[in-house]
Amino acid sequence: MDGKRIAKNTFFLSIRMLVTMGISLYTSRIVLEILGVTDFGIYNVVAGIVVVLGFLSGTLSTSSSRFITVALGSNDFREMRQTFSSILFVNLLLSLAVLLIGETIGLWFLFHKMQIPAERLDIAFWVYQISLATTVINIISVPYNAVIIAHEKMKAFAYMSLFDVGTKLLLVILLRYTERFDKLLLYAVSIFIVQLLDRVIYGYYCSKNFKESHFSRDFTKAQVVKIFGFITWSAYGSLVSVGFTQGLNILLNIFFGPVVNAARGISVQVQNAIVQFTTNFQTAINPQIIKSYVSNDLNNTRSLMTTSSKLSFFLLCIIGAPIIIEANFVLTIWLKNVPGYTVHFVQLMIVISIWSSLANPLRIINQAHGDIKKFQLYECSLLLSIVPIAYFTLKATNVAESVFVVHFMVEFIAQFIRIKIVLPKIKMSFKDYFTEVYLRVIPVFILPIAIGFFASYHFAALPVRPLLILILTEVITFLLIYYIGINKQERAFLTDKIGSKINVLRKK
């Protein structure tokens, strides 16, 4: 395991995340103030339809990273160029397919199934069209982003993210001073402009730094067919993932209207900001998991998998636990006026995110293996049940939060299916996985939150309660990680590193 490279890439991605998270959360607050709750909800649900149509973007990103990383391992420039060109060709074809579906089925759904105020329907149509164009650009950009990840050049993402969020913030601030045009429409246009600029800059960077990232007709039909075969089952997984995510959004719209969509949109913003902590680390370690598995170094693969699982989980606990406990305080400070349902939505979505972080390392190993049919069929068929179960739950209870409880319960079961399919591929027993992962992460999740809620209840009248809760939960979390979360070897390694840093500081 190349710990230095993982640490370096994680550092750049973390700096990127901290800056982008702060700016993005502030930008969301401004957008909510400028657009208002109804228009903010309309944007989230309309853009959500496009996300469903653009589910292939996630599929292509995963597939592209897998094939390009494997090609890099061959050190064959021609194979690398052919792989990139094949993937870009596939992206172009599928972007046309998304455009066709979006202009037919998507439009029908927008006009006939969504609850949108009549006076905002025309604007919603144009927001939909602009969001669809943004999705097409995202799909075409996938191969270039995948090349950067495969080469583990995460510094480029850090710089680009600063440009991305900075430009979005600037354009959103300008919205405040715009009175002549509809602000919801201008916001959608702003997102499109930023995405288009990102696409141009990423393309230029890749063409200058990676010779294989130039489109060439020197690719074979066999390569395209192989990629399509991989994408077919990956697409099923991405369709299910986006389908149940946006399906829940649509259910909330049907049962409760755009105001609840606004609450969910805010909770998604918080969730995405927190999940970035693990996404950074996983983005840095995923290429090494793939390369390790492809080279048949199963000992290193198992080590990378358990490390990725635990550290991803711990990072989310460190950030998420205080927010779960003090969600109302955090949201009030951030938004001032917090839409109904938002507090409970945020708490439940963070819990789901923490548990779901264990799934990614297993998925990466399965993708590295290449035969993904069984994994996708079992996992996705189960996840697909979230929407119908949530529908009947809403019919029975009319409680908006119930959809997230259903999501968590199904995700909990799905994790055991992933384990059963993937562990034999790396010759790891369930007992070893349970001992090394579950028995170490569960206490780190449950105890700080339980103690934090207990303390929050008893110290409710104290003005400094949020600060006390933050300190208490973080101290407990770090102690649990050190004494329970990591094994003896990891603890010895960490202690040695900390000791060496202290000695260096003493000498200075």
Side-chain angles (χ1 to χ4, degrees):
M1 178 168 59
D2 191 347
K4 289 184 177 180
R5 176 175 292 184
I6 293 174
K8 179 181 177 182
N9 288 332
T10 303
F11 171 77
F12 282 120
L13 291 172
S14 297
I15 294 298
R16 165 213 186 204
M17 179 274 304
L18 289 171
V19 176
T20 58
M21 180 178 66
I23 296 178
S24 295
L25 292 176
Y26 179 65
T27 301
S28 298
R29 171 179 168 174
I30 295 177
V31 171
L32 180 61
E33 290 178 358
I34 293 174
L35 298 185
V37 173
T38 300
D39 273 5
F40 187 77
I42 290 173
Y43 180 81
N44 276 279
V45 74
V46 170
I49 300 174
V50 178
V51 171
V52 172
L53 297 174
F55 74 94
L56 285 172
S57 179
T59 298
L60 291 169
S61 179
T62 302
S63 302
S64 299
S65 296
R66 188 265 178 191
F67 280 101
I68 291 174
T69 302
V70 172
L72 281 176
S74 67
N75 292 318
D76 185 333
F77 173 74
R78 184 180 180 186
E79 181 180 347
M80 292 161 58
R81 185 180 63 185
Q82 288 178 335
T83 300
F84 176 84
S85 298
S86 299
I87 292 171
L88 183 56
F89 179 72
V90 170
N91 277 315
L92 291 171
L93 291 179
L94 293 177
S95 65
L96 292 176
V98 167
L99 189 60
L100 177 62
I101 296 171
E103 295 294 359
T104 53
I105 299 174
L107 276 180
W108 171 83
F109 194 87
L110 175 68
F111 284 116
H112 294 90
K113 295 297 179 181
M114 301 309 303
Q115 288 191 29
I116 297 173
E119 68 275 11
R120 302 300 288 159
L121 194 57
D122 287 343
I123 293 297
F125 166 78
W126 288 111
V127 169
Y128 174 83
Q129 294 292 338
I130 296 166
S131 299
L132 184 61
T134 304
T135 299
V136 170
I137 292 175
N138 280 336
I139 293 174
I140 297 174
S141 300
V142 164
Y144 299 94
N145 296 350
V147 167
I148 297 174
I149 293 173
H151 281 277
E152 301 183 59
K153 300 295 183 181
M154 307 308 173
K155 190 175 181 180
F157 280 122
Y159 289 128
M160 272 302 302
S161 294
L162 293 176
F163 169 81
D164 182 270
V165 297
T167 306
K168 286 179 180 176
L169 176 60
L170 176 62
L171 292 175
V172 167
I173 291 175
L174 291 176
L175 285 179
R176 189 186 295 275
Y177 304 100
T178 303
E179 300 296 339
R180 184 176 178 182
F181 301 100
D182 187 273
K183 292 184 178 181
L184 176 58
L185 182 61
L186 284 180
Y187 177 64
V189 171
S190 300
I191 299 300
F192 171 79
I193 291 172
V194 174
Q195 196 60 52
L196 183 61
L197 291 173
D198 286 349
R199 163 69 187 87
V200 172
I201 295 172
Y202 272 123
Y204 178 79
Y205 174 82
C206 290
S207 66
K208 289 295 183 181
N209 292 277
F210 313 120
K211 294 181 179 180
E212 73 272 15
S213 62
H214 295 271
F215 182 76
S216 170
R217 295 183 180 179
D218 183 26
F219 60 86
T220 65
K221 180 180 178 181
Q223 285 179 311
V224 174
V225 170
K226 185 177 181 181
I227 292 171
F228 261 119
F230 191 90
I231 287 174
T232 299
W233 285 106
S234 293
Y236 178 48
S238 294
L239 177 61
V240 169
S241 178
V242 174
F244 76 71
T245 300
Q246 296 305 325
L248 295 180
N249 200 23
I250 292 169
L251 282 180
L252 291 173
N253 176 264
I254 292 172
F255 277 85
F256 303 100
V259 174
V260 175
N261 289 121
R264 187 181 183 279
I266 294 168
S267 63
V268 168
Q269 290 282 337
V270 176
Q271 180 194 40
N272 289 341
I274 293 172
V275 168
Q276 281 299 313
F277 280 88
T278 58
T279 301
N280 293 332
F281 172 70
Q282 290 173 345
T283 300
I285 199 173
N286 287 347
Q288 291 202 26
I289 293 177
I290 294 173
K291 292 171 185 176
S292 177
Y293 183 84
V294 171
S295 64
N296 202 35
D297 186 356
L298 296 185
N299 285 332
N300 194 37
T301 304
R302 289 190 291 269
S303 176
L304 287 167
M305 185 271 290
T306 55
T307 297
S308 180
S309 299
K310 291 191 296 183
L311 292 186
S312 298
F313 193 97
F314 295 155
L315 284 170
L316 282 183
C317 286
I318 291 169
I319 303 301
I323 297 177
I324 290 173
I325 300 165
E326 292 292 341
N328 186 60
F329 172 80
V330 172
L331 290 169
T332 302
I333 293 296
W334 172 32
L335 300 174
K336 296 182 181 178
N337 298 316
V338 183
Y341 296 99
T342 306
V343 172
H344 291 161
F345 283 11
V346 166
Q347 291 171 325
L348 290 167
M349 290 184 74
I350 292 176
V351 171
I352 293 170
S353 298
I354 291 173
W355 180 258
S356 298
S357 65
L358 297 175
N360 181 73
L362 297 171
R363 289 196 184 106
I364 294 300
I365 291 173
N366 189 67
Q367 291 160 9
H369 182 267
D371 184 9
I372 63 174
K373 179 179 178 180
K374 182 179 179 182
F375 184 94
Q376 296 294 88
L377 185 62
Y378 281 80
E379 178 197 40
C380 299
S381 297
L382 181 59
L383 293 177
L384 196 61
S385 68
I386 291 175
V387 174
I389 295 174
Y391 172 78
F392 288 113
T393 304
L394 283 175
K395 290 283 286 186
T397 65
N398 201 40
V399 175
E401 292 87 348
S402 65
V403 301
F404 300 105
V405 176
V406 170
H407 183 182
F408 176 78
M409 293 176 66
V410 174
E411 180 64 40
F412 184 85
I413 297 170
Q415 181 64 9
F416 288 94
I417 293 177
R418 300 182 191 110
I419 291 170
K420 183 174 178 58
I421 295 173
V422 173
L423 292 190
K425 296 178 181 180
I426 58 175
K427 299 180 179 179
M428 186 177 191
S429 68
F430 175 78
K431 180 182 177 181
D432 289 340
Y433 181 89
F434 187 84
T435 302
E436 188 58 31
V437 179
Y438 279 164
L439 290 184
R440 296 186 183 279
V441 302
I442 290 176
V444 177
F445 171 68
I446 293 177
L447 293 178
I449 293 177
I451 295 172
F453 271 118
F454 179 82
S456 180
Y457 175 79
H458 286 279
F459 300 144
L462 292 179
V464 294
R465 186 203 68 243
L467 179 61
L468 290 176
I469 296 302
L470 174 64
I471 295 172
L472 178 65
T473 54
E474 296 300 351
V475 169
I476 294 172
T477 300
F478 278 107
L479 288 174
L480 288 170
I481 290 173
Y482 185 80
Y483 288 105
I484 297 177
I486 58 179
N487 58 38
K488 291 181 179 180
Q489 292 79 12
E490 292 166 338
R491 195 178 304 119
F493 175 80
L494 182 62
T495 303
D496 179 66
K497 286 294 181 182
I498 294 175
S500 63
K501 293 295 183 182
I502 292 174
N503 289 332
V504 170
L505 291 175
R506 284 176 176 174
K507 291 179 180 180
K508 290 182 179 181

